[in-house]
Amino acid sequence: MKLWDKGFSIDKKIELFTVGNDREIDMHIAKYDVQASLAHAIMLETIGIISSDELEQLKSGLKVLAESIEAGTFTIEDTFEDVHSKIEHELTKTLGDVGKKIHTARSRNDQVLVALQLYYKENLQIINDKTKTFFDTLLDLAETHKTKLLPGYTHLQVAMPSSFGLWFSAYGELLIDDVYVLNAVSKITDQNVLGSAAGYGSSFPIDREITTKELGFSTLKYNVVAAQLSRGKSERAIASALGGLCNTMARFAMDICLYMSQNFGFITFPDELTTGSSIMPHKKNPDVFELIRGKCNKIQALHSEMLLITNNLPSGYHRDFQLLKENIINAFEDVKDILDIFTYAIQQIIVKDIDLNDEKYQYLFTVDSINNLVVDGMSFREAYQKIGSQVQDGTYQPDLGKEHSHIGSIHNLCLDKINKKYPK
């Protein structure tokens, strides 16, 4: 069954190519199509297109479908193009002619559009919630390990003293910036596009304010052409937001892989969180963090894909839009999984004691030594040259006791202020 069936069969090769794997991907948006169909039915009854009895029948039929989706028993057989045709078929099979009325004043275009918009809206909130859990975990770790010093690096060369508190809370505070962007994108998706039909509205006197209220959107995408033009634009914004969050996680995962190696040896994890080698029995590999890094880098490339698929398309609907669904939905599912596993794993990190008297760290405190001389009255340039000379002739002796007291430094992490800054 096809929603556009006109009484002839399409070439099977064309059908396979045009349908692609929509059936599999559409399982992610099935519940949202049911939600939108219910809101649409309520609106149709309000404006007198269907009767109150017909509405009750549609409500009953849609409830059964919603329950089967929730239970995991709902399927889209290969006799259907997509979830939208499957749902209409089930309603028609159960309710007869009443089921056929659900498509009144709708196009498959705005069915897809509103279902995706609902999926994006809900899953952005889920990602936001999971990011907050990750953030809280990092700030807890920063508090727990705030007194433990850690060598800081620039150009991968030993540079200045850092701390585990500074390291954990650095990535925690970066997440705040990512949430700012997620919240902005959430506003983009919190607009009702249902009622745009094929992109030019309907001659039926539909009431889009009703569906906006029923679906819980904050506002409408008022212009019906703008509603269709939002397809691709929303995905580009989402891909950018998810990519920013993934950039933070990928860099953090890289630090973990680096710091876990024997050449650094700053951290480790319980054996059960690592993997081994098929030929080297001593190996303890951080595979989970390498996969986090790889998956996050893959998601960062998504924005370019969304841009290239939709760039310079004229107004109106184009089948190119079908290609947006798979990878944007997969990105959402991957980001949720990444946040869960990252939070789970990082909670079990083992912070090692680092001997800062080790010879390789002997110049970690040169800046502190220069600053001591400046405090005693020497100019910075003279102090720099003096300590530089000591480094060159091998007479430099570090001072390990200087505290960094300014806002955001090793001994003044401002964790409470970072926590308060997190967006509501």
Side-chain angles (χ1 to χ4, degrees), residues 154-204:
T154 62
H155 307 276
L156 279 180
Q157 308 292 306
V158 171
M160 290 178 63
S162 179
S163 71
F164 283 100
L166 205 60
W167 182 53
F168 287 123
S169 60
Y171 283 105
E173 190 166 4
L174 280 181
L175 290 174
I176 293 175
D177 298 336
D178 298 326
V179 172
Y180 288 151
V181 181
L182 285 170
N183 286 347
V185 173
S186 292
K187 288 188 176 182
I188 294 173
T189 62
D190 194 14
Q191 302 178 82
N192 182 21
V193 292
L194 184 58
S196 59
Y200 300 98
S202 173
S203 59
F204 288 103

Side-chain angles (χ1 to χ4, degrees), residues 18-235:
T18 54
V19 171
N21 60 347
D22 253 19
R23 287 182 286 266
E24 293 81 2
I25 296 302
D26 278 1
M27 292 298 294
H28 290 285
I29 62 171
K31 80 168 188 175
Y32 305 102
D33 190 74
V34 170
Q35 289 174 13
S37 295
L38 176 59
H40 185 68
I42 291 170
M43 184 274 296
L44 289 178
E45 190 270 340
T46 304
I47 66 171
I49 298 296
I50 63 174
S51 68
S52 57
D53 179 64
E54 288 171 330
L55 172 60
E56 291 307 313
Q57 291 183 60
L58 287 169
K59 280 184 176 180
S60 176
L62 289 167
K63 181 182 178 184
V64 170
L65 288 170
E67 289 172 348
S68 69
I69 292 167
E70 181 69 25
T73 57
F74 179 83
T75 58
I76 307 172
E77 295 83 359
D78 59 11
T79 50
F80 299 96
E81 278 191 302
D82 51 36
V83 67
H84 317 291
S85 53
K86 166 70 173 183
I87 286 173
E88 183 171 328
H89 170 79
E90 289 298 319
L91 289 174
T92 302
K93 184 174 73 173
T94 305
L95 307 175
D97 287 345
V98 174
K100 296 177 182 179
K101 294 187 176 185
I102 193 64
H103 200 61
T104 307
R106 279 199 307 183
S107 164
R108 185 168 58 170
N109 294 350
D110 68 333
Q111 277 189 264
V112 177
L113 191 53
V114 73
L116 286 170
Q117 202 83 338
L118 289 167
Y119 172 88
Y120 297 154
K121 180 184 174 185
E122 183 170 302
N123 281 275
L124 281 168
Q125 185 56 55
I126 292 170
I127 286 172
N128 218 322
D129 293 342
K130 291 180 183 293
T131 302
K132 180 60 164 63
T133 301
F134 189 36
F135 169 84
D136 291 340
T137 299
L138 294 182
L139 258 62
D140 287 344
L141 287 167
E143 176 64 33
T144 300
H145 301 289
K146 63 184 179 182
T147 61
K148 284 205 165 188
L149 289 184
L150 172 72
Y153 292 80
T154 62
H155 307 276
L156 279 180
Q157 308 292 306
V158 171
M160 290 178 63
S162 179
S163 71
F164 283 100
L166 205 60
W167 182 53
F168 287 123
S169 60
Y171 283 105
E173 190 166 4
L174 280 181
L175 290 174
I176 293 175
D177 298 336
D178 298 326
V179 172
Y180 288 151
V181 181
L182 285 170
N183 286 347
V185 173
S186 292
K187 288 188 176 182
I188 294 173
T189 62
D190 194 14
Q191 302 178 82
N192 182 21
V193 292
L194 184 58
S196 59
Y200 300 98
S202 173
S203 59
F204 288 103
I206 60 173
D207 189 334
R208 298 183 65 209
E209 295 285 359
I210 291 175
T211 55
T212 299
K213 181 180 178 182
E214 290 293 331
L215 292 172
F217 286 111
S218 295
T219 187
L220 271 154
K221 200 73 166 180
Y222 290 97
N223 186 297
V224 291
V225 175
Q228 278 298 327
L229 283 169
S230 71
R231 190 136 185 225
K233 191 175 181 68
S234 295
E235 283 80 2

Side-chain angles (χ1 to χ4, degrees), residues 311-365:
N311 199 32
N312 296 333
L313 285 178
S315 59
Y317 175 78
H318 309 279
R319 193 63 179 262
D320 311 51
F321 292 145
Q322 178 182 340
L323 304 178
L324 299 172
K325 283 197 299 185
E326 180 174 2
N327 286 348
I328 198 76
I329 287 175
N330 285 341
F332 268 108
E333 300 303 318
D334 280 346
V335 170
K336 289 187 291 186
D337 288 343
I338 290 166
L339 283 164
D340 283 342
I341 197 66
F342 213 147
T343 301
Y344 174 78
I346 201 67
Q347 287 172 342
Q348 302 179 64
I349 193 171
I350 299 168
V351 171
K352 293 184 177 181
D353 292 322
I354 302 170
D355 182 9
L356 296 180
N357 292 308
D358 190 298
E359 184 180 354
K360 62 177 170 285
Y361 304 130
Q362 61 180 318
Y363 301 128
L364 191 64
F365 297 93

